Amino acid sequence: MSIYEHIAQRLRTLGVEAEVRQDRCLYTTVEGITTKFRGDEEWETSFIQYRRARSSNFDSKDWGHALNNSIEIPLARLDPDIYREPEETTFEDSKGNTVVISRASLPYSLAHFDSDDYARYFLALVKIRVTRPTTSSSGRPIAILFRKPLTATYSVRGRRTPTNLKEIAIAQIKSCLFKLAVERHTCYEIASPKESKALFELDSPAESDWIMPRVSYEENLVNYYKVARSSPFSSQSFLAYYHVLEYYFLRVAEDNLHHQLKTVLNGASFQTSTDGLDRVISLIRKQASQDDETEMLRKVLQRFSAEDAFIAHVNKLEALHGEKIYTRKRAIFGEQLEISAKEGHALSNAAKFLKHVRNAIVHSSDKYKRDECHIPLTATERIIEEFIPIIKYFAEQVIFGTAIPHLN
């Protein structure tokens, strides 16, 4: 079987019309659009080698590909230099074992094509590519059907393959990635699939009416918001959104105190006697004792958010997600938490929730247990990602609520 016949057979399992015609070229039809793919000798040769491999296994759980005595794992770039194509980099130890960082090998792309993960990849990217119009009469390259991420490949010298090859490979690759960050200022991390039901995906761009806003927004808050929106890390996004709320902690707390003091001081019977002054001092002390950070956060949420609207937002998120991830009590960073979808409780619960997650992000001291802290670039990023829609909602309410109408 040729690579083109193999591709056609695989695509048909995804509901795509695909065939190899007499000109030995592959043809696909997607949404009524027929696309021709021209032959490629390099892919043909790699396909033969791939089929003859002594052992080959693609793991859809972590996107790793084991081929004979090597493991190839996809990487994600963390530093902002996204325009420069990374150079192929090779690390080698005294035994001749190597770690190579480069674009994915063709066998990796072929293994991913045959895996369960390819169906999702096809719907997300390939379907769009093959339905774009083209003026080329010779056909499109078959490479557009495949995934070719940046990868790190650990290879063991010789034909003997260690039983714990993946464990060794990950440890060696991580060490090389740190060395690369220190010496070349280039930062990569091992990539892994995201859950298909990630809440992050529910926050898709909305249609705009393109009408200019009639108000000006607080610039500092907007800067925090943009950092939150653009950060590739859920933990950093969460903190930037939290800064929007924190920006008004003292202002809201002091404003409440001002109103209470005015009520006392402007009272018809108030006198600057010992009893009167004691009432004022007591009020100030009481306010100071109550204003821990969670209480100040609660006051900000209550100032700028309608509780019934927030409850509706939570219910909508859970309906879209198909799971009660907020209103069901569960362990979050070492503590059982939930948001009660009842007026009088929802905002207080949310304040406690958000403050607890914030503490897990900022505290890394050995005073805390492992399940009480967030470690960057680990599975806890996924936990924090679940709460981004909640804190983003409140940050937007604060920004909207503090906007100032334009003068003209």
Side-chain angles (χ1 to χ4, degrees):
M1 179 184 292
S2 72
I3 184 174
Y4 311 110
E5 292 168 332
H6 179 77
I7 294 172
Q9 187 178 76
R10 176 74 174 99
L11 292 179
R12 284 195 289 267
T13 66
L14 303 178
V16 177
E17 294 181 34
E19 62 177 342
V20 179
R21 298 181 183 175
Q22 293 181 347
D23 58 2
R24 294 184 66 252
C25 290
L26 172 70
Y27 291 81
T28 64
T29 302
V30 178
E31 296 183 349
I33 299 175
T34 299
T35 304
K36 174 184 176 182
F37 294 89
R38 59 179 177 266
D40 190 307
E41 291 185 6
E42 184 181 10
W43 281 90
E44 292 172 6
T45 302
S46 292
F47 178 71
I48 294 172
Q49 296 171 347
Y50 165 70
R51 295 298 291 266
R52 292 176 177 174
R54 186 171 73 252
S55 63
S56 175
N57 178 60
F58 187 92
D59 191 340
S60 294
K61 294 180 180 179
D62 60 11
W63 289 335
H65 178 222
L67 182 69
N68 297 335
N69 60 344
S70 68
I71 293 281
E72 189 168 3
I73 299 174
L75 302 178
R77 186 158 195 162
L78 305 181
D79 62 82
D81 191 3
I82 60 175
Y83 297 107
R84 179 166 56 89
E85 178 68 16
E87 299 177 358
E88 181 172 310
T89 304
T90 301
F91 296 90
E92 186 173 359
D93 65 13
S94 59
K95 298 178 182 178
N97 305 323
T98 61
V99 169
V100 178
I101 298 173
S102 65
R103 280 293 158 193
S105 66
L106 300 193
Y108 178 91
S109 298
L110 289 164
H112 176 260
F113 180 77
D114 290 338
S115 73
D116 295 337
D117 187 70
Y118 184 77
R120 182 169 63 170
Y121 180 74
F122 179 85
L123 292 175
L125 292 174
V126 178
K127 188 175 181 180
I128 299 172
R129 294 172 183 169
V130 299
T131 53
R132 287 174 181 162
T134 178
T135 57
S136 174
S137 59
S138 61
R140 296 188 175 213
I142 63 169
I144 68 171
L145 296 172
F146 297 92
R147 182 169 183 250
K148 280 184 65 67
L150 187 73
T151 62
T153 304
Y154 175 71
S155 300
V156 178
R157 186 175 182 182
R159 293 181 61 82
R160 185 178 179 182
T161 304
T163 55
N164 59 338
L165 177 60
K166 178 176 283 190
E167 180 182 347
I168 296 172
I170 290 175
Q172 296 286 7
I173 289 171
K174 285 185 175 181
S175 295
C176 291
L177 294 182
F178 178 67
K179 182 180 178 71
L180 197 62
V182 172
E183 297 179 348
R184 303 299 298 166
H185 305 177
T186 302
C187 295
Y188 300 114
E189 180 56 30
I190 293 176
S192 59
K194 284 193 174 185
E195 296 179 13
S196 58
K197 293 175 65 176
L199 278 165
F200 182 79
E201 297 177 0
L202 299 179
D203 186 26
S204 57
E207 290 293 330
S208 178
D209 57 15
W210 306 114
I211 297 175
M212 294 175 63
R214 300 185 302 273
V215 298
S216 294
Y217 302 104
E218 168 61 51
E219 186 173 355
N220 291 344
L221 301 187
V222 170
N223 290 343
Y224 282 128
Y225 185 88
K226 288 179 178 178
V227 169
R229 268 291 192 187
S230 59
S231 176
F233 310 113
S234 298
S235 55
Q236 298 306 308
S237 290
F238 188 97
L239 286 181
Y241 284 130
Y242 192 89
H243 284 319
V244 174
L245 308 181
E246 190 177 43
Y247 197 81
Y248 284 99
F249 275 9
L250 291 178
R251 194 174 306 182
V252 169
E254 290 174 355
D255 187 55
N256 288 340
L257 179 58
H258 288 171
H259 282 86
Q260 293 175 20
L261 287 173
K262 284 181 181 180
T263 301
V264 173
L265 296 174
N266 295 334
S269 61
F270 177 77
Q271 296 181 6
T272 56
S273 61
T274 300
D275 288 343
L277 294 176
D278 283 345
R279 286 175 60 197
V280 173
I281 294 171
S282 176
L283 189 63
I284 295 173
R285 284 178 173 174
K286 182 179 179 181
Q287 180 76 15
S289 65
Q290 289 179 344
D291 278 343
D292 64 355
E293 191 164 333
T294 303
E295 180 64 15
M296 288 192 285
L297 175 58
R298 182 188 66 79
K299 289 179 179 179
V300 169
L301 301 189
Q302 290 181 329
R303 170 65 63 87
F304 295 103
S305 305
E307 193 164 40
D308 58 346
F310 170 63
I311 292 172
H313 180 65
V314 170
N315 290 336
K316 178 183 177 182
L317 287 172
E318 291 189 333
L320 289 171
H321 189 59
E323 184 180 352
K324 292 186 177 297
I325 61 172
Y326 303 125
T327 58
R328 170 177 55 85
K329 182 173 288 188
R330 61 194 179 111
I332 304 295
F333 293 115
E335 188 170 337
Q336 295 288 331
L337 296 171
E338 67 176 330
I339 296 176
S340 174
K342 297 179 181 178
E343 291 198 33
H345 298 277
L347 292 179
S348 295
N349 291 165
K352 184 178 180 180
F353 226 122
L354 298 180
K355 177 61 166 53
H356 181 67
V357 174
R358 178 261 182 195
N359 286 349
I361 296 173
V362 301
H363 295 312
S364 62
S365 168
D366 56 7
K367 158 187 173 182
Y368 297 92
K369 297 179 181 178
R370 173 64 184 86
D371 61 354
E372 295 176 353
C373 296
H374 159 66
I375 304 298
L377 306 177
T378 68
T380 53
E381 290 283 359
R382 302 287 177 82
I383 297 174
I384 295 169
E385 182 180 292
E386 294 180 354
F387 305 108
I388 294 296
I390 297 293
I391 195 166
K392 181 178 73 67
Y393 172 84
F394 286 125
E396 290 176 348
Q397 301 307 301
V398 170
I399 294 173
F400 299 154
T402 55
I404 300 174
H406 289 309
L407 296 178
N408 56 337

